[in-house]
Every structure is written in structure tokens, then in C-alpha cells.
Amino acid sequence: MHHERWQLQIHGKVQGVFYRASTQQQARMLGLTGYCQNLDNGRVQVVAEGMPDHLQQLLEWCWQGPPQAQVSAIDIDKDIPTDEWQDFQIRR
């Protein structure tokens, strides 16, 4: 099993619209581990680890997000060492 870790920075109207909670739910449904957090610049950072096809599904979901979100761009970094987390958390 080949696990990867992807780091996403979600741009747009993504804070205050349940983006983190919805992302956590999606990631857990896909069997991914990692975390998401609000950033001071108004973006949401998602760091997820798992199978590449599941990470791709999460990325596709992140473009839409929850109903109130308006995603304008996503920065992706796929070249990150894995850490073998146990769960997907929301960080403050």
C-alpha cells in the first residue's frame, strides 16, 4: 500500500462556512488521516495522508466544499514525507 501526504491551501470564502468540519467528515469517509485548520490569511489548510486515489477524491470535493463555501483556488503540494497519523483532526 502506497500512502502519500498532500497539503492543500484552499482560497476563497472558506472560513465561517463549516469548511473544516465538512472536510473532516469527507476525509474520514475516505479513510484519510491528517488535519485541517484555518490560516490567518483567510485560507484553510488541509494536510491529508492516505491512498492517492482517495486523496484525489478529497481534492475534488475540496473544490466544491460545503454549500456556503466559494472556492477560488487550491494550492497543492504532494511532495511531503508521510507521518502515519491515526485520525483526521480539526486544528484551531
Coordinates of all heavy atoms in Angstrom, one line a residue:
M1 N 0.8 -1.2 0.0 CA 0.0 0.0 0.0 C 0.9 1.2 0.0 O 1.7 1.4 0.9 CB -0.9 0.0 1.2 CG -2.0 -1.0 1.1 SD -3.1 -1.1 2.6 CE -3.3 0.6 3.1
H2 N 0.7 2.1 -1.0 CA 1.5 3.3 -1.1 C 0.7 4.5 -0.6 O -0.3 4.9 -1.2 CB 1.9 3.4 -2.6 CG 2.5 4.7 -2.9 ND1 3.8 5.1 -2.5 CD2 2.1 5.8 -3.6 CE1 4.1 6.3 -2.9 NE2 3.1 6.8 -3.6
H3 N 1.1 5.0 0.5 CA 0.5 6.2 1.1 C 1.2 7.4 0.6 O 2.4 7.4 0.5 CB 0.4 6.1 2.6 CG -0.7 5.2 3.1 ND1 -1.6 5.7 4.0 CD2 -1.0 4.0 2.8 CE1 -2.5 4.7 4.3 NE2 -2.1 3.7 3.6
E4 N 0.5 8.5 0.5 CA 1.1 9.8 0.2 C 0.5 10.8 1.1 O -0.6 10.6 1.7 CB 0.7 10.2 -1.3 CG 1.4 9.4 -2.3 CD 1.1 9.9 -3.7 OE1 0.4 10.9 -3.9 OE2 1.5 9.2 -4.7
R5 N 1.1 12.0 1.2 CA 0.6 13.1 2.0 C 0.5 14.3 1.1 O 1.5 14.6 0.4 CB 1.5 13.4 3.2 CG 0.9 14.6 4.0 CD 1.8 15.1 5.0 NE 1.9 14.2 6.1 CZ 2.7 14.3 7.1 NH1 3.4 15.4 7.3 NH2 2.7 13.4 8.1
W6 N -0.7 14.9 1.0 CA -0.9 16.1 0.2 C -1.2 17.2 1.2 O -2.0 17.1 2.1 CB -2.0 15.9 -0.7 CG -1.8 14.9 -1.8 CD1 -0.7 14.1 -2.0 CD2 -2.6 14.6 -3.0 NE1 -0.9 13.3 -3.1 CE2 -2.0 13.6 -3.7 CE3 -3.9 15.2 -3.4 CZ2 -2.6 13.1 -4.9 CZ3 -4.5 14.7 -4.5 CH2 -3.8 13.7 -5.3
Q7 N -0.7 18.4 0.9 CA -1.0 19.6 1.6 C -1.8 20.5 0.6 O -1.3 20.8 -0.4 CB 0.2 20.3 2.1 CG -0.1 21.6 2.9 CD 1.2 22.2 3.5 OE1 1.8 21.6 4.3 NE2 1.6 23.3 3.0
L8 N -2.9 21.0 1.0 CA -3.8 21.9 0.2 C -4.0 23.2 0.9 O -4.2 23.2 2.1 CB -5.1 21.2 -0.1 CG -5.2 19.8 -0.5 CD1 -6.6 19.3 -0.6 CD2 -4.4 19.6 -1.8
Q9 N -3.9 24.3 0.2 CA -4.3 25.6 0.8 C -5.5 26.0 -0.1 O -5.4 26.2 -1.3 CB -3.2 26.6 0.7 CG -2.3 26.4 1.9 CD -1.5 27.7 2.2 OE1 -1.9 28.8 1.9 NE2 -0.4 27.5 2.9
I10 N -6.7 26.1 0.6 CA -7.9 26.4 -0.1 C -8.2 27.9 0.0 O -8.2 28.5 1.1 CB -9.1 25.7 0.6 CG1 -8.7 24.3 0.9 CG2 -10.3 25.8 -0.3 CD1 -8.4 23.4 -0.2
H11 N -8.3 28.6 -1.2 CA -8.6 30.0 -1.2 C -10.0 30.3 -1.5 O -10.7 29.5 -2.1 CB -7.8 30.6 -2.4 CG -6.3 30.4 -2.4 ND1 -5.5 31.5 -2.3 CD2 -5.6 29.3 -2.5 CE1 -4.2 31.0 -2.4 NE2 -4.3 29.7 -2.5
G12 N -10.5 31.4 -1.1 CA -11.9 31.8 -1.3 C -12.7 32.1 0.0 O -12.1 32.3 1.0
K13 N -14.0 31.9 -0.1 CA -14.8 32.1 1.1 C -14.9 30.7 1.7 O -15.8 29.9 1.4 CB -16.2 32.6 0.7 CG -17.1 32.8 1.9 CD -18.5 33.2 1.5 CE -19.4 33.3 2.7 NZ -20.8 33.5 2.3
V14 N -13.9 30.4 2.6 CA -13.8 29.1 3.2 C -13.7 29.1 4.7 O -13.7 28.0 5.3 CB -12.6 28.3 2.6 CG1 -12.9 28.0 1.1 CG2 -11.3 29.1 2.8
Q15 N -13.8 30.2 5.3 CA -13.8 30.3 6.8 C -15.2 30.8 7.2 O -15.8 31.6 6.6 CB -12.7 31.2 7.3 CG -11.3 30.6 7.1 CD -10.2 31.4 7.9 OE1 -10.5 32.3 8.7 NE2 -9.0 31.1 7.6
G16 N -15.7 30.2 8.3 CA -17.0 30.5 8.8 C -18.1 29.9 8.1 O -19.3 30.3 8.2
V17 N -17.8 28.9 7.2 CA -18.9 28.2 6.4 C -18.9 26.7 6.7 O -19.3 25.9 5.8 CB -18.7 28.6 4.9 CG1 -19.0 30.0 4.7 CG2 -17.4 28.1 4.4
F18 N -18.3 26.3 7.8 CA -18.2 24.8 8.1 C -17.3 24.0 7.2 O -17.5 22.8 7.0 CB -19.6 24.2 8.2 CG -20.5 24.8 9.2 CD1 -21.5 25.7 8.8 CD2 -20.3 24.6 10.6 CE1 -22.3 26.3 9.7 CE2 -21.2 25.3 11.5 CZ -22.2 26.1 11.0
Y19 N -16.3 24.7 6.6 CA -15.4 24.0 5.7 C -14.6 23.0 6.4 O -14.5 21.9 5.9 CB -14.5 25.1 5.0 CG -13.9 24.5 3.7 CD1 -14.5 24.8 2.5 CD2 -12.8 23.7 3.7 CE1 -14.0 24.3 1.3 CE2 -12.3 23.2 2.6 CZ -12.9 23.5 1.4 OH -12.3 23.0 0.2
R20 N -14.0 23.3 7.6 CA -13.2 22.4 8.3 C -14.0 21.1 8.7 O -13.5 20.0 8.5 CB -12.5 23.0 9.5 CG -11.5 24.1 9.1 CD -10.9 24.7 10.3 NE -11.9 25.4 11.1 CZ -11.9 25.7 12.4 NH1 -10.8 25.4 13.1 NH2 -12.8 26.3 13.0
A21 N -15.1 21.3 9.3 CA -16.0 20.2 9.7 C -16.4 19.3 8.6 O -16.4 18.1 8.7 CB -17.2 20.7 10.5
S22 N -16.8 19.9 7.5 CA -17.2 19.2 6.3 C -16.0 18.4 5.7 O -16.1 17.3 5.2 CB -17.8 20.1 5.2 OG -18.9 20.7 5.8
T23 N -14.8 19.0 5.7 CA -13.6 18.4 5.2 C -13.2 17.2 6.1 O -12.9 16.1 5.5 CB -12.4 19.4 5.1 OG1 -12.8 20.5 4.3 CG2 -11.2 18.7 4.6
Q24 N -13.3 17.4 7.4 CA -13.0 16.3 8.3 C -14.0 15.1 8.0 O -13.5 14.0 7.9 CB -13.2 16.7 9.7 CG -13.0 15.6 10.8 CD -13.3 16.1 12.2 OE1 -14.3 16.7 12.4 NE2 -12.4 15.8 13.1
Q25 N -15.2 15.4 7.8 CA -16.2 14.3 7.5 C -15.9 13.6 6.2 O -15.8 12.3 6.2 CB -17.6 14.9 7.4 CG -18.7 13.9 7.2 CD -20.1 14.5 7.1 OE1 -20.2 15.7 7.0 NE2 -21.1 13.7 7.2
Q26 N -15.5 14.3 5.2 CA -15.2 13.7 3.9 C -13.9 12.9 4.0 O -13.8 11.8 3.5 CB -14.9 14.8 2.8 CG -16.2 15.4 2.3 CD -17.0 14.4 1.5 OE1 -18.2 14.2 1.8 NE2 -16.4 13.8 0.5
A27 N -12.9 13.4 4.7 CA -11.6 12.7 4.8 C -11.8 11.4 5.6 O -11.3 10.4 5.2 CB -10.6 13.6 5.6
R28 N -12.6 11.5 6.6 CA -12.8 10.2 7.4 C -13.6 9.2 6.6 O -13.3 8.0 6.7 CB -13.6 10.6 8.7 CG -12.7 11.2 9.7 CD -13.5 11.6 11.0 NE -12.6 12.0 12.1 CZ -13.0 12.5 13.2 NH1 -14.3 12.7 13.4 NH2 -12.1 12.9 14.1
M29 N -14.6 9.7 5.8 CA -15.3 8.7 4.9 C -14.4 8.1 3.9 O -14.6 6.9 3.5 CB -16.4 9.5 4.2 CG -17.6 9.8 5.0 SD -19.0 10.6 4.2 CE -18.6 10.6 2.5
L30 N -13.3 8.8 3.5 CA -12.4 8.3 2.5 C -11.2 7.5 3.2 O -10.3 7.0 2.5 CB -11.8 9.4 1.7 CG -12.8 10.1 0.7 CD1 -12.2 11.4 0.2 CD2 -13.2 9.1 -0.4
G31 N -11.2 7.4 4.5 CA -10.2 6.7 5.2 C -8.9 7.4 5.3 O -7.8 6.8 5.4
L32 N -8.9 8.7 5.2 CA -7.7 9.5 5.2 C -7.4 10.0 6.7 O -8.3 10.1 7.5 CB -7.8 10.8 4.3 CG -8.1 10.5 2.9 CD1 -8.4 11.7 2.1 CD2 -6.9 9.7 2.3
T33 N -6.2 10.3 6.9 CA -5.8 10.9 8.2 C -5.1 12.2 8.0 O -4.8 12.5 6.8 CB -4.8 9.9 9.0 OG1 -3.6 9.7 8.1 CG2 -5.4 8.6 9.3
G34 N -4.9 13.0 9.0 CA -4.3 14.3 8.9 C -5.1 15.4 9.7 O -5.6 15.1 10.7
Y35 N -5.1 16.6 9.1 CA -5.8 17.7 9.8 C -6.2 18.8 8.8 O -5.7 18.8 7.7 CB -5.0 18.2 10.9 CG -3.7 18.9 10.5 CD1 -3.7 20.3 10.2 CD2 -2.5 18.2 10.3 CE1 -2.5 20.9 9.7 CE2 -1.3 18.8 9.9 CZ -1.4 20.2 9.6 OH -0.2 20.8 9.2
C36 N -7.1 19.7 9.3 CA -7.4 20.9 8.6 C -7.4 22.0 9.6 O -7.7 21.8 10.8 CB -8.6 20.8 7.8 SG -10.1 20.4 8.7
Q37 N -7.1 23.2 9.2 CA -7.1 24.4 10.1 C -7.3 25.7 9.3 O -6.9 25.7 8.1 CB -5.7 24.4 10.8 CG -4.5 24.7 10.0 CD -3.2 24.6 10.8 OE1 -3.2 24.3 12.0 NE2 -2.1 24.9 10.2
N38 N -7.8 26.6 10.0 CA -7.9 28.0 9.4 C -6.5 28.6 9.5 O -5.8 28.4 10.4 CB -8.9 28.9 10.2 CG -10.3 28.5 9.9 OD1 -10.7 27.9 8.9 ND2 -11.2 28.9 10.9
L39 N -6.2 29.4 8.5 CA -5.0 30.2 8.5 C -5.3 31.7 8.6 O -6.4 32.1 8.3 CB -4.2 30.0 7.1 CG -3.8 28.5 6.8 CD1 -3.2 28.4 5.5 CD2 -2.9 28.0 7.9
D40 N -4.3 32.4 9.1 CA -4.5 33.8 9.4 C -4.8 34.6 8.1 O -5.4 35.7 8.2 CB -3.3 34.4 10.1 CG -3.1 33.9 11.5 OD1 -4.1 33.4 12.1 OD2 -2.0 34.0 12.0
N41 N -4.4 34.1 6.9 CA -4.7 34.8 5.7 C -6.1 34.5 5.1 O -6.3 34.9 3.9 CB -3.6 34.5 4.7 CG -3.5 33.0 4.4 OD1 -4.4 32.2 4.7 ND2 -2.4 32.6 3.7
G42 N -6.9 33.9 5.8 CA -8.3 33.6 5.4 C -8.5 32.3 4.6 O -9.6 31.9 4.3
R43 N -7.4 31.6 4.4 CA -7.4 30.3 3.7 C -7.6 29.2 4.8 O -7.5 29.4 6.0 CB -6.2 30.0 3.0 CG -5.9 31.1 1.9 CD -4.6 30.8 1.2 NE -4.3 32.0 0.3 CZ -3.1 32.4 0.0 NH1 -2.0 31.7 0.5 NH2 -2.9 33.4 -0.8
V44 N -8.0 28.0 4.2 CA -8.0 26.8 5.0 C -6.9 25.9 4.5 O -6.7 25.7 3.3 CB -9.4 26.1 5.0 CG1 -9.3 24.7 5.6 CG2 -10.4 26.9 5.7
Q45 N -6.1 25.3 5.4 CA -5.1 24.4 5.1 C -5.6 23.0 5.4 O -6.1 22.7 6.5 CB -3.8 24.6 5.9 CG -2.7 23.7 5.5 CD -1.4 24.0 6.3 OE1 -1.5 24.2 7.5 NE2 -0.3 24.0 5.7
V46 N -5.4 22.1 4.5 CA -5.7 20.7 4.6 C -4.5 19.9 4.4 O -3.8 20.0 3.4 CB -6.8 20.2 3.6 CG1 -7.1 18.7 3.7 CG2 -8.1 21.1 3.8
V47 N -4.1 19.0 5.4 CA -3.0 18.1 5.2 C -3.5 16.7 5.4 O -4.0 16.4 6.5 CB -1.9 18.4 6.2 CG1 -0.7 17.5 6.0 CG2 -1.4 19.9 6.1
A48 N -3.5 15.9 4.3 CA -4.2 14.6 4.4 C -3.2 13.6 3.9 O -2.4 13.8 3.0 CB -5.4 14.6 3.5
E49 N -3.4 12.4 4.5 CA -2.5 11.3 4.2 C -3.3 10.0 3.9 O -4.3 9.8 4.6 CB -1.6 11.0 5.4 CG -0.5 10.0 5.1 CD 0.5 10.0 6.3 OE1 1.2 11.0 6.4 OE2 0.5 9.0 7.0
G50 N -3.0 9.3 2.8 CA -3.7 8.1 2.5 C -3.4 7.6 1.1 O -2.3 8.0 0.5
M51 N -4.2 6.8 0.6 CA -4.0 6.3 -0.8 C -4.2 7.4 -1.8 O -5.2 8.3 -1.6 CB -5.0 5.2 -1.1 CG -4.8 4.0 -0.1 SD -3.2 3.2 -0.2 CE -3.3 2.5 -1.9
P52 N -3.4 7.5 -2.9 CA -3.5 8.6 -3.8 C -4.9 8.8 -4.4 O -5.3 9.9 -4.6 CB -2.5 8.2 -4.9 CG -1.5 7.4 -4.2 CD -2.3 6.6 -3.1
D53 N -5.6 7.7 -4.7 CA -7.0 7.8 -5.3 C -7.9 8.5 -4.3 O -8.8 9.3 -4.7 CB -7.5 6.5 -5.9 CG -7.6 5.4 -4.9 OD1 -6.8 5.4 -3.9 OD2 -8.4 4.5 -5.0
H54 N -7.8 8.2 -3.0 CA -8.6 8.8 -2.0 C -8.3 10.3 -1.8 O -9.1 11.1 -1.6 CB -8.5 8.0 -0.7 CG -9.1 6.6 -0.8 ND1 -8.8 5.7 0.1 CD2 -9.9 6.1 -1.7 CE1 -9.4 4.5 -0.2 NE2 -10.1 4.8 -1.3
L55 N -7.0 10.6 -1.9 CA -6.5 12.0 -1.8 C -7.1 12.8 -3.0 O -7.5 13.9 -2.8 CB -5.0 12.1 -1.8 CG -4.4 11.5 -0.5 CD1 -2.9 11.3 -0.7 CD2 -4.6 12.4 0.7
Q56 N -7.1 12.2 -4.2 CA -7.7 12.8 -5.4 C -9.2 13.1 -5.2 O -9.7 14.1 -5.5 CB -7.4 12.0 -6.6 CG -7.9 12.6 -7.9 CD -7.2 13.9 -8.2 OE1 -6.0 14.0 -8.0 NE2 -7.9 14.9 -8.7
Q57 N -9.9 12.1 -4.6 CA -11.3 12.3 -4.3 C -11.5 13.5 -3.3 O -12.5 14.3 -3.5 CB -11.9 11.0 -3.8 CG -12.1 9.9 -4.8 CD -12.6 8.7 -4.2 OE1 -13.7 8.7 -3.5 NE2 -12.0 7.6 -4.4
L58 N -10.7 13.6 -2.3 CA -10.8 14.7 -1.4 C -10.5 16.0 -2.0 O -11.2 17.0 -1.8 CB -9.8 14.5 -0.2 CG -9.9 15.6 0.9 CD1 -11.3 15.6 1.6 CD2 -8.8 15.4 1.9
L59 N -9.5 16.0 -2.9 CA -9.2 17.2 -3.6 C -10.3 17.7 -4.5 O -10.7 18.9 -4.5 CB -7.9 17.0 -4.5 CG -7.6 18.1 -5.5 CD1 -7.3 19.4 -4.7 CD2 -6.4 17.7 -6.4
E60 N -11.0 16.8 -5.2 CA -12.1 17.1 -6.0 C -13.3 17.6 -5.1 O -13.9 18.6 -5.5 CB -12.6 15.9 -6.8 CG -11.6 15.5 -7.9 CD -11.8 14.2 -8.5 OE1 -12.9 13.5 -8.3 OE2 -10.9 13.7 -9.3
W61 N -13.5 17.0 -4.0 CA -14.5 17.5 -3.1 C -14.2 18.9 -2.6 O -15.0 19.8 -2.4 CB -14.7 16.6 -1.9 CG -15.7 17.1 -0.9 CD1 -17.1 16.9 -1.0 CD2 -15.5 18.0 0.2 NE1 -17.7 17.6 0.0 CE2 -16.8 18.3 0.7 CE3 -14.4 18.6 0.7 CZ2 -17.0 19.1 1.8 CZ3 -14.6 19.4 1.8 CH2 -15.9 19.7 2.3
C62 N -12.9 19.2 -2.3 CA -12.4 20.5 -1.8 C -12.8 21.6 -2.7 O -13.0 22.8 -2.3 CB -10.9 20.5 -1.4 SG -10.5 19.6 0.1
W63 N -12.8 21.4 -4.0 CA -13.1 22.4 -5.0 C -14.6 22.9 -4.8 O -14.9 24.0 -5.1 CB -13.0 21.9 -6.4 CG -11.6 22.1 -6.9 CD1 -10.6 21.2 -7.1 CD2 -10.9 23.4 -7.2 NE1 -9.4 21.7 -7.5 CE2 -9.6 23.1 -7.6 CE3 -11.4 24.7 -7.3 CZ2 -8.7 24.1 -8.0 CZ3 -10.5 25.7 -7.7 CH2 -9.2 25.4 -8.0
Q64 N -15.4 22.0 -4.3 CA -16.8 22.4 -4.0 C -17.0 22.8 -2.6 O -17.6 23.9 -2.3 CB -17.8 21.3 -4.4 CG -19.2 21.6 -4.1 CD -20.1 20.4 -4.5 OE1 -19.7 19.5 -5.2 NE2 -21.4 20.5 -4.0
G65 N -16.6 22.0 -1.7 CA -16.7 22.3 -0.2 C -18.2 22.2 0.2 O -19.1 21.8 -0.5
P66 N -18.5 22.7 1.4 CA -19.8 22.8 1.9 C -20.7 23.8 1.1 O -20.1 24.6 0.4 CB -19.7 23.1 3.4 CG -18.4 23.8 3.4 CD -17.5 23.2 2.4
P67 N -22.0 23.8 1.3 CA -22.9 24.7 0.4 C -22.5 26.1 0.5 O -22.6 26.8 -0.5 CB -24.3 24.4 1.0 CG -24.2 23.0 1.6 CD -22.8 22.9 2.1
Q68 N -22.1 26.7 1.6 CA -21.9 28.1 1.8 C -20.5 28.6 1.2 O -20.2 29.7 1.1 CB -22.0 28.5 3.2 CG -23.3 28.1 3.9 CD -24.3 29.2 3.8 OE1 -24.0 30.3 3.9 NE2 -25.6 28.8 3.5
A69 N -19.6 27.6 0.9 CA -18.2 27.9 0.5 C -18.2 28.4 -0.9 O -19.0 28.0 -1.7 CB -17.3 26.7 0.7
Q70 N -17.2 29.2 -1.2 CA -16.9 29.6 -2.6 C -15.4 29.5 -2.8 O -14.7 30.4 -2.4 CB -17.4 31.1 -2.8 CG -18.9 31.2 -2.7 CD -19.3 32.7 -2.8 OE1 -18.5 33.6 -2.9 NE2 -20.6 32.8 -2.9
V71 N -15.0 28.4 -3.4 CA -13.5 28.2 -3.6 C -13.1 28.8 -4.8 O -13.6 28.6 -5.9 CB -13.3 26.6 -3.6 CG1 -11.8 26.3 -3.9 CG2 -13.7 26.0 -2.3
S72 N -12.0 29.6 -4.7 CA -11.5 30.3 -5.9 C -10.2 29.7 -6.4 O -9.8 29.8 -7.6 CB -11.2 31.8 -5.6 OG -10.3 31.9 -4.5
A73 N -9.4 29.0 -5.6 CA -8.2 28.3 -6.0 C -7.7 27.4 -4.9 O -8.1 27.5 -3.7 CB -7.1 29.4 -6.2
I74 N -6.9 26.4 -5.3 CA -6.3 25.4 -4.4 C -4.8 25.3 -4.7 O -4.5 24.9 -5.9 CB -7.0 24.1 -4.4 CG1 -8.5 24.2 -4.0 CG2 -6.3 23.1 -3.5 CD1 -9.3 22.9 -4.0
D75 N -4.0 25.6 -3.8 CA -2.5 25.3 -3.9 C -2.3 23.9 -3.4 O -2.8 23.5 -2.4 CB -1.7 26.2 -3.1 CG -1.9 27.7 -3.6 OD1 -2.2 27.9 -4.7 OD2 -1.7 28.6 -2.7
I76 N -1.5 23.1 -4.2 CA -1.3 21.7 -3.8 C 0.2 21.4 -3.8 O 0.9 21.7 -4.7 CB -1.9 20.7 -4.9 CG1 -3.4 21.1 -5.1 CG2 -1.7 19.3 -4.5 CD1 -4.0 20.4 -6.4
D77 N 0.6 20.7 -2.7 CA 2.0 20.2 -2.5 C 1.9 18.8 -2.2 O 1.3 18.4 -1.2 CB 2.7 21.0 -1.4 CG 4.1 20.6 -1.3 OD1 4.6 19.7 -2.0 OD2 4.8 21.1 -0.4
K78 N 2.4 17.9 -3.1 CA 2.3 16.5 -3.0 C 3.6 15.8 -2.5 O 3.7 14.6 -2.3 CB 1.9 15.8 -4.3 CG 0.5 16.3 -4.7 CD 0.1 15.5 -6.0 CE -1.3 16.0 -6.5 NZ -1.6 15.3 -7.8
D79 N 4.7 16.6 -2.4 CA 6.0 16.1 -2.1 C 6.4 16.3 -0.6 O 7.3 17.0 -0.3 CB 7.0 16.8 -3.0 CG 8.4 16.1 -3.0 OD1 8.4 14.9 -2.6 OD2 9.4 16.7 -3.2
I80 N 5.6 15.6 0.2 CA 5.8 15.7 1.7 C 5.9 14.4 2.3 O 5.2 13.4 2.0 CB 4.5 16.4 2.3 CG1 4.3 17.8 1.6 CG2 4.7 16.6 3.8 CD1 3.0 18.4 2.0
P81 N 6.9 14.2 3.2 CA 7.0 12.9 3.9 C 5.8 12.5 4.7 O 5.1 13.4 5.2 CB 8.2 13.1 4.8 CG 8.9 14.3 4.3 CD 7.9 15.1 3.6
T82 N 5.5 11.2 4.7 CA 4.3 10.8 5.5 C 4.6 10.7 6.9 O 5.8 10.6 7.3 CB 3.8 9.4 4.9 OG1 4.8 8.5 5.0 CG2 3.3 9.6 3.5
D83 N 3.5 10.6 7.8 CA 3.7 10.6 9.2 C 2.9 9.5 9.9 O 3.0 9.3 11.1 CB 3.2 12.0 9.8 CG 4.2 12.5 10.8 OD1 5.2 11.8 11.2 OD2 3.9 13.6 11.3
E84 N 2.0 8.9 9.2 CA 1.2 7.8 9.8 C 0.3 8.2 10.9 O 0.4 7.7 12.0 CB 2.1 6.6 10.2 CG 2.8 5.9 9.0 CD 1.9 5.3 8.0 OE1 0.9 4.8 8.3 OE2 2.3 5.4 6.8
W85 N -0.5 9.3 10.7 CA -1.4 9.7 11.7 C -2.5 8.7 11.9 O -2.7 7.8 11.1 CB -2.1 11.0 11.3 CG -1.2 12.2 11.3 CD1 -0.4 12.6 12.3 CD2 -0.9 13.1 10.2 NE1 0.3 13.8 12.0 CE2 0.0 14.1 10.7 CE3 -1.4 13.2 8.9 CZ2 0.5 15.1 10.0 CZ3 -0.9 14.3 8.2 CH2 0.0 15.2 8.7
Q86 N -3.2 8.8 13.0 CA -4.3 7.8 13.4 C -5.7 8.3 13.0 O -6.6 7.5 13.0 CB -4.2 7.5 14.9 CG -2.9 6.9 15.3 CD -2.5 5.7 14.5 OE1 -3.3 4.8 14.4 NE2 -1.3 5.6 14.0
D87 N -5.9 9.6 12.8 CA -7.2 10.2 12.6 C -7.1 11.4 11.8 O -6.0 11.9 11.5 CB -7.8 10.5 14.0 CG -9.3 10.7 14.0 OD1 -10.0 10.5 12.9 OD2 -9.9 11.2 15.0
F88 N -8.3 12.0 11.5 CA -8.3 13.3 10.8 C -8.9 14.3 11.7 O -10.0 14.2 12.2 CB -9.1 13.3 9.5 CG -8.9 14.4 8.6 CD1 -7.9 14.3 7.6 CD2 -9.6 15.6 8.8 CE1 -7.7 15.4 6.8 CE2 -9.3 16.7 8.0 CZ -8.3 16.6 7.0
Q89 N -8.1 15.3 12.1 CA -8.5 16.3 13.2 C -8.7 17.7 12.6 O -8.3 18.0 11.5 CB -7.3 16.4 14.2 CG -7.0 15.1 14.9 CD -8.1 14.6 15.8 OE1 -8.7 15.4 16.5 NE2 -8.4 13.3 15.8
I90 N -9.5 18.5 13.4 CA -9.6 19.9 13.1 C -8.7 20.6 14.1 O -8.8 20.4 15.3 CB -11.0 20.4 13.3 CG1 -12.0 19.7 12.3 CG2 -11.1 21.9 13.2 CD1 -13.4 20.1 12.5
R91 N -7.8 21.4 13.6 CA -6.9 22.2 14.4 C -7.4 23.6 14.5 O -8.0 24.1 13.5 CB -5.5 22.2 13.9 CG -4.8 20.8 14.0 CD -3.4 20.9 13.7 NE -2.8 19.6 13.8 CZ -1.5 19.3 13.4 NH1 -0.7 20.3 12.9 NH2 -1.0 18.1 13.5
R92 N -7.2 24.3 15.6 CA -7.7 25.7 15.8 C -6.7 26.7 15.2 O -5.6 26.5 15.1 CB -7.9 26.0 17.2 CG -8.8 25.0 17.9 CD -10.3 25.3 17.4 NE -11.2 24.2 17.9 CZ -12.1 23.7 17.2 NH1 -12.2 23.9 15.9 NH2 -12.9 22.8 17.7

